C-alpha cells in the first residue's frame, strides 16, 4: 500500500538532502515501487505559485515551476491534506 496517493499534495520536509526544495509543495505524479516496496515518489513542484482555475465546472491545476519528475524518498514528504484528481492536470 502506498503512503501517498497519485495527485496528492505534499510538502518537502527538512530532512530532504536537497535544501533548495525544503518547505516547497508539490503533487505526487509518479510512484517508484517494486515488490510492494516504495522507493521514491515523482513530485511536480507547485513552488507556492500555482493556479487552480474553474473550467467547465471542474478544477484545473497549472504547475508553474517548469520542473518535472523530481524524485523524493517517502521519508522526505508529508501530506498537506489536499487531494487533486487526474483531470485537474490533464
Amino acid at each position: 500500500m502506498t503512503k501517498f496517493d497519485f495527485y496528492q499534495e505534499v510538502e518537502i520536509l527538512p530532512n530532504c538532502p536537497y535544501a533548495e526544495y525544503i518547505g516547497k509543495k508539490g503533487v505526487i505524479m509518479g510512484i517508484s515501487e517494486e515488490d510492494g516496496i516504495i522507493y521514491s515518489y515523482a513530485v511536480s513542484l507547485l513552488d507556492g505559485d500555482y493556479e487552480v482555475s474553474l473550467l467547465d465546472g471542474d478544477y484545473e491545476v497549472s504547475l508553474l515551476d517548469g520542473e518535472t519528475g523530481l524524485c523524493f524518498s517517502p521519508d522526505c514528504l508529508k501530506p498537506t491534506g489536499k487531494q487533486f484528481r487526474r483531470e485537474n492536470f490533464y
Side-chain angles (χ1 to χ4, degrees):
M1 182 167 161
T2 61
K3 181 176 178 183
F4 301 106
D5 295 322
F6 280 98
Y7 314 114
Q8 183 175 3
E9 185 181 72
V10 293
E11 183 176 332
I12 314 302
L13 294 173
N15 63 334
C16 173
Y18 309 105
E20 65 269 27
Y21 300 122
I22 293 172
K24 294 193 177 195
K25 293 180 182 176
V27 177
I28 302 292
M29 301 300 278
I31 301 171
S32 173
E33 176 192 6
E34 188 174 334
D35 296 327
I37 299 170
I38 297 173
Y39 293 98
S40 64
Y41 290 93
V43 177
S44 286
L45 293 181
L46 298 172
D47 206 16
D49 204 10
Y50 64 99
E51 297 175 354
V52 179
S53 56
L54 191 60
L55 182 66
D56 295 328
D58 200 3
Y59 290 99
E60 181 176 279
V61 179
S62 298
L63 301 172
L64 300 178
D65 70 329
E67 304 259 8
T68 58
L70 295 169
C71 290
F72 296 96
S73 162
D75 296 335
C76 290
L77 304 171
K78 75 172 183 178
T80 66
K82 291 183 184 177
Q83 177 68 50
F84 297 104
R85 297 189 335 235
R86 185 182 194 282
E87 294 83 20
N88 297 130
F89 299 94
Y90 301 105

